Every structure is written in structure tokens, then in C-alpha cells.
Amino acid sequence: MTTDLNDVRNIVILTGAGISAESGIDTFRGGGGLWEKHRVEDVATPEAFARDPELVLCFYDMRRAAIQEKEPNAAHAALARLDAGWPGDLLIVTQNVDDLHERAGARRVLHMHGEHLNAWCTACDVRSPWRDSLVDRPACPECGERALRPDVVWFGEMPYQMDRIYDAVRKADLFVSIGTSGAVYPAAGLVRTARDLGAATLELNLEPSQGSAWFDETRLGPASDLVPAWVD
Ligand code: BJW
């Protein structure tokens, strides 16, 4: 079992907030993280949205506006290069709701926790591209109902496309985790599934994640150094 790119064909890469940190997008946990400034229970659960939609929509309006001013960094660019040139199966499973992988040029990207730049109509179930505010309860472009919410996965909701993710993990001979604390399931459990099925596992993170013991190899440092060094 090897984490060397020359020895593998099918790769799953899980990314988290740490890969976008050097682009200036806040992470969630740790010093300065979003959950230090906002209580999860107030802004990132369906119950919070039912209780105080304005607070939740403001929180997401602020973050939706912020990501549009940020740029991909060297780590996003390195993964885009890998994606473009990789002949085998490759899937970037991102927990991030920003679009920096796509803006760096990556194509094989799956957003398991949704996307800031989509609005989801809970009346007609259609997702529409969305860049502006949601707090004034605009009408759904599809059905006209004022039932739009951010298209993100809150605690207690099912992450997107889990079947597709597990299919890719089953085929993978290398599983790489980049910039995630390993605190949130089911994403945090993917390394164990990959490992149980025989894949080599590599972690690239600023500090050991909660699941560090499950990785064959851990490299510590900023993603903008570690990811290009791994890919190139
Ligand atoms: C750098 C760096 C640099 C910094 N370079 N690195 C008990 C046990 C197991 C599970 C549960 C449980 N109790 C509840 C659950 C389930 C729950 C859960 O996991 N809770 C845990 C907190 C315990 N999970 C869920 O509810 C999920 N759904 C689910 O399980 O459905 C099943 C189900 C549903 C219904 C019925 C039946 C079953 C849903 C989880 C949704 C998560 N949503 C969020 C918000 C998304 C929208 C938004 O953006 O607001 O997703 S929470 C937040 O955490 C966000 C992230 O994607 C996610 C993960 O965070 P991430 O990316 O790891 O960021 P950080 O900040 O934690 O870490 C950053 C890392 O980067 C750090 O390690 C740094 O060191 C590093 N770093 N700078 C490299 N420059």
C-alpha cells in the first residue's frame, strides 16, 4: 500500500475548510473559526432556520458575499492540475460550500455539504444559481413561492450524493484528506471506509485531525505548500 501518486490509479480527495483558509475564508473550528463567533445551534440547523430565518439568512448572505471576493490559492490550483491530467478515476469530494475548486479549474468536484451560490426552493425543490441576498425573501425563479433557503447541508440533514461518494471510495486505491478537522460525520468516517476496503490513506493538514490515527501517512503544514508538493 502506497500513498505515492505513481503507484495508484483511482483517487478520492476529501477537502475541508483548511484548503480555503489561505484564500481568506474562515474555517469553522479552532481560534478565529466561525463557530467561535456564531453558535452552531443558532445558524446551522433546520431548527434554527425555522425559529429565526432572518438571522440564518443574514449569516449566509454575509458569507455568500464574502466568498465572491476571494480567489483560489495554490492548493486549489494544484488539485485542478491533477484533475486535468489524471487518467484514472478521480473525485474531489469537498465539504466546502465555496466555489474555489471550480474557479481554479477542477471539474470532478462533488459538494457534499452544498453550495453557497445555489438557492434551494423548499416549495418546488428546484435549485437555482444565486449570488445575491436571500434575507428579503425573494421569489423562487421557478415557481414564484417565497421559499428559498441556502442550498447547504445543516446538522441533522443528509449530506448530498452519499451513494456516489461511497462508490468512488470503494474503487479508490488512494484516499487523501486535505484541510479538515475530522469532526463532522459522515465525511470524517470516509477514511475508515477507504482504509477498510484497502486504499492507502494520506492526510495533508495544518495539525493532526481527529481521525489522524486512521491515515497511513500524515503531512503537516499549510495546504498551499503541501498540496503542490504532493501533486507536482
Ligand atoms: C489548514 C489550514 C491551512 C486550517 N492548510 N489545513 C455523534 C457521532 C457521530 C455523528 C454525529 C454525532 N452526533 C451528531 C452527529 C451527526 C452530525 C455530526 O457529525 N456532528 C458532529 C459535530 C459530532 N452530522 C450531521 O448532522 C450530518 N448529517 C448526518 O449525519 O446525516 C445523517 C442523518 C440525517 C438525518 C437523519 C438520519 C441520518 C450533516 C453535517 C453538516 C455539516 N454542515 C456544516 C455547515 C455547512 C454549511 C455552512 O458552511 O455553513 O459543514 S458544519 C461545518 O463543518 C461545515 C464543514 O463542511 C464541516 C466540516 O468542517 P471542516 O471543513 O473540517 O472545517 P474545520 O474548521 O472543522 O477544520 C479545518 C481544518 O483545517 C483544521 O483541522 C485546521 O487545522 C486545518 N487548517 N488552516 C491546511 N492553511
Side-chain angles (χ1 to χ4, degrees):
M1 207 146 15
T2 165
T3 58
D4 189 328
L5 272 176
N6 294 315
D7 299 330
V8 300
R9 180 158 181 84
N10 299 330
I11 311 174
V12 171
I13 301 162
L14 174 70
T15 67
I19 198 169
S20 295
E22 291 165 84
S23 294
I25 298 179
D26 288 338
T27 62
F28 294 91
R29 296 166 187 83
L34 276 172
W35 296 158
E36 242 181 21
K37 298 170 221 150
H38 309 268
R39 277 166 25 105
V40 174
E41 302 80 8
D42 291 340
V43 292
T45 67
E47 294 77 16
F49 185 54
R51 198 168 49 238
D52 191 346
E54 190 164 333
L55 176 74
V56 173
L57 292 174
C58 271
F59 175 69
Y60 283 94
D61 276 3
M62 179 189 77
R63 292 174 54 211
R64 190 181 311 104
I67 64 151
Q68 295 180 62
E69 292 170 1
K70 309 299 182 191
E71 298 296 332
N73 64 50
H76 298 103
L79 289 189
R81 284 197 297 281
L82 180 67
D83 178 24
W86 191 255
D89 287 351
L90 178 148
L91 184 62
I92 300 170
V93 177
T94 188
Q95 297 169 85
N96 297 345
V97 295
D98 66 54
D99 62 341
L100 296 187
H101 283 305
E102 287 88 344
R103 279 203 269 143
R107 293 286 168 266
R108 290 179 273 184
V109 182
L110 183 162
H111 285 268
M112 68 181 295
H113 291 163
E115 297 178 66
H116 269 321
L117 298 182
N118 273 347
W120 171 27
C121 177
T122 56
C124 69
D125 200 27
V126 167
R127 272 130 175 126
S128 310
W130 205 270
R131 295 191 163 266
D132 304 325
S133 167
L134 283 173
V135 76
D136 298 327
R137 311 313 292 264
C140 168
E142 205 56 40
C143 73
E145 290 291 326
R146 296 185 187 281
L148 294 174
R149 58 163 272 185
D151 185 18
V152 301
V153 177
W154 288 322
F155 283 105
E157 296 183 322
M158 193 59 87
Y160 296 156
Q161 302 195 59
M162 288 311 298
D163 289 348
R164 203 178 139 208
I165 294 172
Y166 283 121
D167 276 351
V169 168
R170 259 191 291 277
K171 288 190 205 136
D173 30 37
L174 176 62
F175 177 89
V176 184
S177 170
I178 304 173
T180 176
S181 60
V184 174
Y185 287 82
L190 292 175
V191 59
R192 290 180 66 170
T193 308
R195 191 189 160 109
D196 287 350
L197 293 169
T201 53
L202 170 65
E203 169 166 65
L204 308 177
N205 208 36
L206 204 54
E207 59 197 357
S209 70
Q210 291 186 19
S212 228
W214 294 102
F215 290 89
D216 298 318
E217 186 184 339
T218 294
R219 299 182 195 167
L220 300 180
S224 65
D225 287 347
L226 294 183
V227 181
W230 169 60
V231 163
D232 295 328

